[in-house]
Amino acid sequence: LNLSIELWGNGYAQVERSGARVVGLYPIHPEAVSVRRRPDGALDYRWTRDGRSFVGTDRDVLHVRGPGGDPLGGMSTLQFGR
């Protein structure tokens, strides 16, 4: 996730759960993700991996944002430092 934040300003990982426990985090390439705010205020994540499409909420996706952004996304730390 660190490299994604450095270069794209956002790091994403799909969260795998077993009941209430988090048992896995699977990185998602930032260019494959789109983030939208739903009418109820929640964030909606859509991405593709290996030809499959996924849709999730903040419960399904760990989203680490770079500096200077908003809830939809951050700024690359390299760009921020420049």
Side-chain angles (χ1 to χ4, degrees):
L1 291 177
N2 286 344
L3 183 61
S4 294
I5 297 165
E6 293 286 334
L7 298 176
W8 288 278
N10 296 284
Y12 303 97
Q14 184 177 4
V15 178
E16 180 182 348
R17 297 179 188 276
S18 177
R21 278 186 65 223
V22 173
V23 295
L25 295 172
Y26 302 97
I28 307 168
H29 196 287
E31 291 180 340
V33 179
S34 67
V35 183
R36 297 182 200 162
R37 185 171 300 281
R38 297 187 325 205
D40 65 3
L43 296 181
D44 188 41
Y45 295 87
R46 297 174 186 269
W47 71 98
T48 58
R49 180 187 298 136
D50 300 327
R52 292 182 54 206
S53 295
F54 298 88
V55 177
T57 65
D58 58 355
R59 178 167 164 74
D60 307 307
V61 176
L62 171 65
H63 182 182
V64 181
R65 296 158 187 84
D70 61 25
L72 300 180
M75 181 186 295
S76 155
T77 54
L78 295 174
Q79 184 180 8
F80 186 76
R82 183 174 39 158

